[in-house]
Amino acid sequence: MESITVLYIILAAIVALGIVVFQYIYKQKAKSKIHWLLAFLRFIGIFGLLVLLINPKFSQKTYTLEKPNLVILADNSTSILKSEDDLQLLISELENSKEVTDRFKIASYTFGSKLDALDSLSFTEKNTNIYKSLSALKDIYAREQTVTILFSDGNQTIGADYSYAKTNPDNTIYAVVLGDTTKYKDISVGPILTNKYAFLKNKFPLETYVSYQGQTSVSATVSVKMNDKVVHKENLKFDGESNFKNIAIEIDANSVGIKKLSVEVTQLPEERNIENNRRSTSIEVIDEKTKIALVSDIMHPDLGALKKAIESNEQREVSILKSNAKNSILEEIDLFIFYQPTTKFKNAFDFAKSMNANTFIIAGSKTDYSFLNMNNVGLEIENGYPEQEVFGLLNNGFTKYDISKFDLTDFPPLISDAGPILITAPYDALLGTQIKGLDVQQPLLAVMEQNSGKQAFLLGENLWKWRMQTYRNTNNFVNFDEFIGNLIRYLTSSKNKSRLNVDYEKVYEGSSNTVITATYFDEAFLFDPNARVTIKVTNSNTKKVQTNPMVLKNGYFEADLSNLIAGSYEFVVSVENESKSSSGSFVISEFDMENLFVSSDNAKMEKLAVDNGGKLFYPSQIKALVQDLKENDAYVPTEKSTENIVSLVDYKLLLGLIVFAFAAEWFIRKYNGLI
């Protein structure tokens, strides 16, 4: 309590005493015991009220003993299945050790591709990301002393190299290596690199490699098959120094459809793991490629960004043309993108109209709006306005196809000098326009359908910045590329607007990422979140049928089919009590990265532990680990004090005492007939 507060309390006592002396001693002639009691009660009441007005504050300190955290981090991937009993026993021994529980607060987690709280170990995770799990724990226990015990075989399939991971200064990582660390002779096939699509009567490339682990000389035969037919065969020789062979071939696409590709290498006599002797993937052979013309008379980074985004789907080919391109070149075009058109574009505009081709007009600071207004493109734009920054606003009511996954977070503004627009044809806006934080109620990006054709327009330049921001946000270009790709697919499609739209991949690498999404709109073409959407999946070979409800997400329905095994499938998405349905087919390639490893990676586990102040242990050394945790002076409970400042007003006892003093005084005075 501060000294000034003490002085105020003393002054309050003097004032209360003065009042009491004046009322009960100075003015009273006869002083009985009753008067002395009343004086005392009056003093208590007045002094209490004055103290409440001063409201002094008191500090209260509480002391707690805080134990350091002991985090058990267990690998839950399929590669640990052989060490299941060892892992369960190790975790149980740590959690039930009195020496450990007396010294630490224990928290248990599992991980595969992401971190989860330990409920039970299933060993079904198809990928291992040790680095991501350690990073998550680093954030969770950023301000606390923590010891992490990592139980794993050290074989990571995705993510950054965990051996270089660094934890917080007060944290330590111990590593316990599971599985067999013996190095066996092994031969394996690497990832298959090829296109998602190939074109009929063309060749497509396939590239992979075969690696060998061992010191003696061996020979093997590698075969490349397409739909179980051998298309390439090669004999390979390896030894301790020459242990890597690259395979690069070209394969003929002779028929349309999804083709299963596999690369196999023969088994070595002493080989223990043959799961990694085979890799497979799929490719879809199509009989046509969409040709798109990007017509522009100026050099601009938007051109490169659009070309990259559109050609991320290999079914599309983009040609950047000048406005004076010959008609013989324009005849081969399926979709025209006019970038900042001027009067020089007249021939190209007229040709596109004569062919009834679909168009995409992108306007910017170099656009001649008078030319656009004269060409009856479905909108009239006022010109003569200065350049300004315009932001995009996603229109969640867009019904032509699903745009709910497009993320505009932190996207920079586009540049536009377009004035107010008058749209003379029915349209649907993908993006609205925001200027200086105000929604100006006009589209930035929209599509129109008229005269059996489709058209889109965008009133802003510098799309390349959006593609760069996508990379900053997600470390890839998928968000932007898919948004532009879906727009191009809509413009090049002749399908009518559908109330049920399904999005899926033709080929899935392994079952872990097999996801199908759908959007359903009511008769007014508003997204219907109350619809019951189901998916019926049939295995093309076994004819086994699986029916699941699709789960409502943020503006779309999703079916997670990660439980399916590798194979070919057909599906039907339908809406309950509606006649709407959509069907398709896909292939899940046979692939499990966790089965490709021969032995545990104890070298990386040891580097991780040593670099973070810990040690490497093996399952047989669990008692040594417990002993180290028990005897290490760095891991001791710490006493922490918490100071709590409490105001006197918060003490209800004082208020009760004041009420009691005044009430007792009043009652005694009345009882004794005193005025």
Side-chain angles (χ1 to χ4, degrees), residues 194-485:
T194 188
N195 302 330
K196 284 188 177 181
Y197 303 94
F199 300 99
L200 188 64
K201 305 302 181 183
N202 286 347
K203 291 180 179 289
F204 63 89
L206 180 145
E207 187 171 348
T208 186
Y209 62 83
V210 179
S211 61
Y212 167 66
Q213 177 181 298
Q215 297 300 320
T216 60
S217 298
V218 296
S219 60
T221 302
V222 61
S223 302
V224 181
K225 298 180 180 179
M226 183 166 70
N227 284 359
D228 297 325
K229 180 181 179 181
V230 177
V231 294
H232 178 79
K233 197 174 217 181
E234 187 175 341
N235 295 320
L236 306 175
K237 292 185 178 181
F238 300 95
D239 55 40
E241 294 183 358
S242 179
N243 56 10
F244 182 91
K245 300 290 184 183
N246 190 59
I247 309 295
I249 61 173
E250 289 189 341
I251 303 175
D252 291 321
N254 293 322
S255 59
V256 175
I258 297 177
K259 309 297 180 182
K260 183 179 179 182
L261 300 171
S262 62
V263 180
E264 300 178 16
V265 64
T266 53
Q267 180 182 352
L268 299 178
E270 303 172 4
E271 193 171 7
R272 294 170 63 94
N273 181 18
I274 61 172
E275 295 289 337
N276 56 9
N277 288 34
R278 185 177 185 274
R279 283 281 186 101
S280 62
T281 187
S282 300
I283 189 171
E284 184 179 7
V285 179
I286 55 180
D287 60 358
E288 62 179 13
K289 176 181 276 192
T290 302
K291 294 186 177 181
I292 300 164
L294 186 48
V295 184
S296 175
D297 282 338
I298 62 174
M299 299 295 291
H300 198 284
D302 280 358
L303 303 179
L306 286 167
K307 181 176 173 67
K308 285 285 187 181
I310 296 170
E311 290 186 342
S312 62
N313 184 331
E314 295 179 12
Q315 296 182 70
R316 305 181 184 121
E317 179 183 352
V318 177
S319 301
I320 299 178
L321 305 175
K322 294 288 187 181
S323 61
N324 58 358
K326 296 180 180 179
N327 288 356
S328 58
I329 298 175
L330 300 180
E331 287 175 355
E332 301 177 359
I333 302 303
D334 300 306
L335 171 67
F336 290 88
I337 301 178
F338 296 115
Y339 187 80
Q340 303 211 37
T342 63
T343 53
K344 295 180 180 180
F345 282 61
K346 187 176 187 318
N347 179 67
F349 262 74
D350 291 343
F351 185 86
K353 283 184 180 180
S354 67
M355 297 291 293
N356 199 26
N358 296 338
T359 60
F360 180 14
I361 298 172
I362 302 177
S365 58
K366 306 296 183 184
T367 303
D368 187 340
Y369 296 112
S370 299
F371 169 74
L372 285 180
N373 295 339
M374 290 188 299
N375 272 271
N376 192 26
V377 294
L379 69 159
E380 296 180 4
I381 306 171
E382 291 188 27
N383 55 19
Y385 284 80
E387 292 184 14
Q388 57 186 340
E389 295 181 341
V390 294
F391 290 85
L393 295 172
L394 192 66
N395 177 21
N396 293 320
F398 183 76
T399 61
K400 299 291 185 180
Y401 54 87
D402 183 16
I403 62 170
S404 59
K405 293 184 180 179
F406 184 52
D407 185 6
L408 282 163
T409 302
D410 296 328
F411 272 32
L414 302 182
I415 298 299
S416 175
D417 61 350
I421 63 174
L422 173 64
I423 303 177
T424 58
Y427 73 94
D428 280 284
L430 286 84
L431 301 176
T433 304
Q434 185 183 63
I435 300 175
K436 296 181 179 180
L438 179 66
D439 184 357
V440 297
Q441 301 296 319
Q442 77 176 29
L444 178 64
L445 173 61
V447 295
M448 297 183 290
E449 294 183 11
Q450 56 179 343
N451 301 326
S452 72
K454 296 178 181 178
Q455 181 177 310
F457 66 85
L458 171 66
L459 302 180
E461 61 179 288
N462 288 343
L463 275 174
W464 66 273
K465 293 184 179 181
W466 283 13
R467 194 168 191 262
M468 290 297 100
Q469 187 61 45
T470 289
Y471 189 84
R472 291 192 190 100
N473 292 348
T474 62
N475 291 326
N476 58 54
F477 299 106
V478 172
N479 177 52
F480 178 83
D481 289 357
E482 286 191 349
F483 179 72
I484 295 296

Side-chain angles (χ1 to χ4, degrees), residues 11 302 463 476 575 591 621 670:
L11 182 61
D302 280 358
L463 275 174
N476 58 54
V575 182
F591 180 72
Q621 299 173 311
K670 289 294 184 183

Side-chain angles (χ1 to χ4, degrees), residues 508-571:
Y508 293 96
E509 292 289 344
S511 61
S512 59
N513 61 345
T514 307
V515 174
I516 295 177
T517 61
T519 52
Y520 176 72
F521 302 95
D522 58 22
E523 293 182 357
F525 276 92
L526 297 175
F527 178 75
D528 185 0
N530 298 316
R532 294 186 178 181
V533 184
T534 58
I535 181 169
K536 179 181 177 183
V537 182
T538 306
N539 188 303
S540 301
N541 299 323
T542 64
K543 303 303 178 184
K544 183 179 179 180
V545 177
Q546 173 180 311
T547 303
N548 295 328
M550 298 187 74
V551 180
L552 177 64
K553 296 284 187 175
N554 185 22
Y556 61 95
F557 297 92
E558 180 182 274
D560 184 354
L561 304 177
S562 56
N563 63 323
L564 297 178
I565 62 174
S568 300
Y569 293 88
E570 298 174 350
F571 71 88

